[in-house]
Amino acid sequence: MDLNNNVPRYMLAALLLCLFHITHMICLGADTISANQSLSGVQTIVSAGGIFELGFHKPGNSSNYYICMWYKQIPFDNIVWIANREKPVSDRFSSVLRISNGNLVLFNESQIPIWSTNVSSTTSTSVHAVLQDDGNLVLIDELKSPSLLWQSFDNPAHAWLPGSKLGYNNTTRRNQPIISWKNSEDPTPGLFSVELDQSDNSFRIVWNRSKIYWTTGAWNGKVFEKVPEMKENNIFYYSFITEANKSSLTYFVKDNSTFRYTLMDISGQVKQVNWLGTNIGWSLFWAQPRQQCEVYAFCGAFGSCNQKSLPFCNCLKGFVPKSQSDWNLEDYSGGCKRKNKLQCGNNMSTNGANHNGERDKFLPLSSMSLPESAQSATAADVEECESTCLNDCSCTAYAYNSSTCSIWIGDLINLKQLSVDDRTGKSLYVRLAASELQSKKNNIVIGIVLGAVAGFTVLVGLIVLVILIQRNKIVGLGKAVVEGSLVAFDYRYLQNATKNFSEKLGGGGFGSVFKGTLPADSTLVAVKRLESVSQGEKQFRTEVSTIGTIQHVNLAMLRGFCCEGTKRLLVYDYMPNGSLASHLFRINNSNVLDWKTRYQIALGTARGLFYLHEKCRDCIIHCDIKPDNILLDAEFHPKLADFGLAKLFGRDFSRVLTTVRGTRGYLAPEWISGEAITTKADVYSYGMMLFEFVSGRRNSEHFEEGEVDFFPNMAAKVIIEGGDVVSLLDPRLEGNADEDELIRVCRVACWCIQDDETHRPSMGHIVQILEGIINVNLPPLPKIFQVFMDNPDDIIFFTESSSSQKVHRHGTACPLLPLES
Ligand SMILES: *[C@@H]1O[C@H](CO)[C@@H](O)[C@H](O)[C@H]1NC(C)=O
Ligand SMILES: *[C@@H]1O[C@H](CO)[C@@H](O)[C@H](O)[C@H]1NC(C)=O
Ligand SMILES: *[C@@H]1O[C@H](CO)[C@@H](O)[C@H](O)[C@H]1NC(C)=O
Ligand SMILES: *[C@@H]1O[C@H](CO)[C@@H](O)[C@H](O)[C@H]1NC(C)=O
Ligand SMILES: *[C@@H]1O[C@H](CO)[C@@H](O)[C@H](O)[C@H]1NC(C)=O
Ligand SMILES: *[C@@H]1O[C@H](CO)[C@@H](O)[C@H](O)[C@H]1NC(C)=O
Ligand SMILES: *[C@@H]1O[C@H](CO)[C@@H](O)[C@H](O)[C@H]1NC(C)=O
Ligand SMILES: *[C@@H]1O[C@H](CO)[C@@H](O)[C@H](O)[C@H]1NC(C)=O
Ligand SMILES: *[C@@H]1O[C@H](CO)[C@@H](O)[C@H](O)[C@H]1NC(C)=O
Ligand SMILES: *[C@@H]1O[C@H](CO)[C@@H](O)[C@H](O)[C@H]1NC(C)=O
Ligand SMILES: *[C@@H]1O[C@H](CO)[C@@H](O)[C@H](O)[C@H]1NC(C)=O
């Protein structure tokens, strides 16, 4: 590993050691440490197949040495196990790892034992340690039965190798967890750990050994309840072992030709990585919790986590990192400290306090997710809430909503800065020394701005009031009734609004869409007349009101519905720019969507879909992602339409979906195999669509125009072989595209259409990649294309009869999450 640095000295030392110890010492290469052998300096042992290596190593820029195990063939830092995590040595040449009294023991420079397997006490010379090809270091005494005395698989460090165990000792009631490093250079056990919950065979992530912030949910024999993507598949299988006084969980990789392992990262996320060769490196293919800011107390006290910025952690205004050096090493857990002391609780006369005797003030922070452990205080209004906090010197923040005053005592942890359009965001007022806040002059400016904002709000309020009054008139006529957040229209009202369904905007398998104008306020609407909905009125209303609660800037907003006899209609906001398909696949060359706009549409669509998958209360799989279902508003912002229809149509949905022309090319392979559909089916469709953003043509069209290769396949090959990506670009753009963005889009697209859904990224990851927050590795060539290449006619990968049979037999009509098993 660090042999590259001072090569001559090391080589010399190694050579000398080997010569010196040639008769009774090991040289580099052997896999065993026997009773009369020892390991020191640059010596290592290597597993028989040359997979793993073990020896002294110092991580990163650290000056400390540890006994580490790593993948021998991988050139970068890839430590998977450490013996003496808490007790490093500084000179590896005078430290030694050897068998002593039947244990494997590490002696430091003064020949004091600082780490030991600590299992047996025997002077037997038959005890020896072997490094195996699976990454297990075992201590064996062949004269004993059982011969296995100790193994590293029972004592993992931060990495969970296939075969190593998350254990639980039922006698001591203690967990054997996998624990993150303290920071990027210090392997001392950090705050985050993964441990087994033997009561329901789940595993969970714990902060500071006490606070559980993520769990897989119970294992049902096939999948973990809360992470349906963690299931037995053609890559992994899991094994739960329950013995009399012990439980453990391990997993195995069926195909061990690529290196894969799971680790508890210093980010507080559990990550699964696999090695894709020296050109590509380690590839992250799964991480939980998905969002960095979901990690408990990641930014420490008074640190605020922002998912959309790098670094994720920042101190609140008026605070600085407690330890900048820890922050530089990606350990934010120490949090932040005040720049200036508070006035409250400090003597006015004290020298050095910077508060000038002025009373503390409160800094308003908007769009925050409120920190944990709020206390409620009685307060009639916001002023009283503020003074309650101000008068209690231990109170650090307050928040007030129309009914409740919440105050926080002591450190604020788990602060999250949300985006402005996140409706769960609240205002939080944080106590600061008066000197931290703006001077009086600025306060006046703020006052003016606030006044203007207030005035504007009143005005908007009045307008809304007028509109409501107008609407109520119509309510009086019994034509449109507000039900929750939706309006229930009667059929004749919509018939009038659409001039008897005369202006058709589009059609599809589920019904046609017509333009309309609501007489009440002349708003333009799009009315979708659903065909063949077999649901009863009550169920329909329930489903529709669920859809009505799903609101996001990138989702088409449902305004209302009509449910009369067998008639079922949905009323949406009208989108002046129509569907993305109409712009992207435009036949004439005028008004071609430029690359910037395409990229923004791709990103907006990903955000909308991410919201549907992970952010709303009843999460929804869209099932029908295609450019025809992406609507564009006046500024070309995308709005995803038709979500929630799967539930409205029930069984018929699959039938319609799989038979409508122009839809099949977007369907994930699991639709054919009859497996349950997950959100990853949407990811697949999204990926297929991304290729169309690049080429400006439908993927299926290329064939019809006589090209031999399927466009996504061709693009994947260009990307993987490092070819000229610009050559893939829609010729109408004449090469005008940001190449980085183009590469990003192509790589994401290629990951999305991987055959195995566990290889596809989540929409959350995709959003982060497109935002440029995380990088995307080179994808492998999607398998499905290898099939296509053999048989291009197979592009529609099933026949109609077989598909509908299969779908019906399994009855999986694109269910809502969590999946029914
Ligand atoms: C080291 O120990 C092994 C096993 O006990 C033995 O076979 C070997 O001869 C010993 N080597 C030396 C040099 O003593
Ligand atoms: C090690 O130190 C060098 C120079 O101080 C710095 O450039 C480099 O980023 C450091 N590496 C790590 C892994 O911290
Ligand atoms: C070796 O370890 C012992 C016990 O931890 C410690 O007291 C001693 O200082 C260490 N020696 C060196 C050279 O670090
Ligand atoms: C071995 O275990 C004993 C008791 O469990 C403990 O006191 C001792 O410190 C351990 N020794 C080492 C070197 O870890
Ligand atoms: C973790 O918990 C221990 C007590 O179990 C406590 O002393 C320590 O301060 C905690 N660490 C942090 C960072 O809060
Ligand atoms: C663990 O111990 C408890 C109580 O001692 C017992 O009820 C339970 O069955 C044990 N579980 C296993 C797996 O041994
Ligand atoms: C389990 O633990 C109990 C109590 O500590 C002990 O009596 C029993 O022998 C243990 N069983 C096994 C199989 O180790
Ligand atoms: C549980 O822990 C105790 C104390 O460390 C140990 O003696 C016992 O062997 C462990 N039991 C199992 C089954 O590992
Ligand atoms: C893969 O598994 C086979 C059979 O279990 C084994 O022989 C081989 O050494 C393993 N290869 C790696 C790289 O672990
Ligand atoms: C304030 O000053 C008094 C008297 O000088 C002292 O007894 C008290 O401890 C001080 N309090 C604080 C919080 O510094
Ligand atoms: C106000 O806050 C309390 C406590 O956080 C919450 O239970 C309540 O629902 C909130 N009320 C409104 C109107 O948001």
Side-chain angles (χ1 to χ4, degrees), residues 165-166 196 201 239-243 246-250 252:
K165 289 170 193 159
L166 288 179
L196 173 71
N201 279 348
S239 168
F240 294 87
I241 305 153
T242 308
E243 294 155 26
K246 201 185 159 157
S247 311
S248 59
L249 162 61
T250 187
F252 295 98

Side-chain angles (χ1 to χ4, degrees), residues 47 58 73 86 109 279 387 392 423 431 439 490 518 546 602 627 637 650 683 687 690 696 704 752 755 764-765 802 806:
S47 64
K58 68 184 168 75
Q73 299 146 18
E86 290 166 83
E109 302 89 330
N279 292 335
S387 70
D392 177 351
R423 293 153 99 240
R431 180 188 213 121
S439 68
D490 85 4
L518 296 185
T546 309
H637 296 143
V683 172
L690 278 188
E704 287 160 17
C752 288
D755 199 30
H765 276 137
S802 76
K806 274 193 176 145

Side-chain angles (χ1 to χ4, degrees), residues 296-305 314-317 319 322 332-338 362-363 365 368-375 389 394-399 406-416 428-432:
Y296 186 79
F298 182 63
C299 298
F302 300 107
S304 160
C305 193
N314 284 294
C315 288
L316 294 180
K317 184 175 184 295
F319 291 82
K322 228 179 227 165
Y332 303 99
S333 61
C336 308
K337 60 177 188 208
R338 287 182 190 281
F362 287 92
L363 170 72
L365 300 170
M368 300 297 285
S369 125
L370 296 183
E372 284 208 340
S373 56
Q375 301 186 357
C389 186
S394 56
C395 176
T396 46
Y398 75 89
S406 308
I407 60 169
W408 283 265
I409 304 294
D411 290 351
L412 296 177
I413 53 169
N414 263 349
L415 284 168
K416 278 171 227 155
L428 181 72
Y429 297 83
V430 177
R431 180 188 213 121
L432 286 181

Side-chain angles (χ1 to χ4, degrees), residues 240-468:
F240 294 87
I241 305 153
T242 308
E243 294 155 26
N245 287 337
K246 201 185 159 157
S247 311
S248 59
L249 162 61
T250 187
Y251 70 99
F252 295 98
V253 173
K254 289 181 187 167
D255 168 18
N256 64 3
S257 57
T258 44
F259 303 144
R260 292 172 196 276
Y261 72 95
T262 306
L263 77 157
M264 183 69 245
D265 193 60
I266 53 171
S267 68
Q269 291 167 301
V270 171
K271 293 182 172 172
Q272 263 175 14
V273 294
N274 56 351
W275 177 251
L276 297 176
T278 39
N279 292 335
I280 305 175
W282 286 105
S283 137
L284 172 71
F285 81 92
W286 184 83
Q288 287 287 356
R290 223 155 284 187
Q291 305 242 337
Q292 180 60 71
C293 293
E294 287 167 31
V295 172
Y296 186 79
F298 182 63
C299 298
F302 300 107
S304 160
C305 193
N306 185 345
Q307 193 62 41
K308 296 211 165 133
S309 78
L310 277 182
F312 292 111
C313 292
N314 284 294
C315 288
L316 294 180
K317 184 175 184 295
F319 291 82
V320 288
K322 228 179 227 165
S323 160
Q324 187 63 50
S325 56
D326 283 347
W327 279 49
N328 294 345
L329 293 169
E330 298 164 69
D331 172 14
Y332 303 99
S333 61
C336 308
K337 60 177 188 208
R338 287 182 190 281
K339 282 197 225 159
N340 289 312
K341 273 192 189 160
L342 295 176
Q343 183 259 354
C344 200
N346 279 301
N347 279 340
M348 307 279 252
S349 57
T350 315
N351 286 335
N354 297 329
H355 47 69
N356 303 327
E358 227 186 310
R359 284 205 92 177
D360 298 335
K361 294 208 157 74
F362 287 92
L363 170 72
L365 300 170
S366 58
S367 300
M368 300 297 285
S369 125
L370 296 183
E372 284 208 340
S373 56
Q375 301 186 357
S376 58
T378 43
D381 52 30
V382 62
E383 286 81 16
E384 203 178 325
C385 188
E386 175 169 329
S387 70
T388 307
C389 186
L390 195 59
N391 292 330
D392 177 351
C393 287
S394 56
C395 176
T396 46
Y398 75 89
Y400 187 82
N401 67 18
S402 51
S403 58
T404 327
C405 170
S406 308
I407 60 169
W408 283 265
I409 304 294
D411 290 351
L412 296 177
I413 53 169
N414 263 349
L415 284 168
K416 278 171 227 155
Q417 178 70 59
L418 305 174
S419 58
V420 188
D421 59 349
D422 190 327
R423 293 153 99 240
T424 63
K426 299 277 177 335
S427 290
L428 181 72
Y429 297 83
V430 177
R431 180 188 213 121
L432 286 181
S435 56
E436 291 291 351
L437 289 164
Q438 309 270 328
S439 68
K440 286 237 159 64
K441 218 174 181 180
N442 284 337
N443 282 345
I444 294 168
V445 175
I446 290 173
I448 292 169
V449 172
L450 283 180
V453 169
F456 183 70
T457 315
V458 168
L459 194 68
V460 170
L462 280 177
I463 293 170
V464 169
L465 200 66
V466 169
I467 292 173
L468 281 182

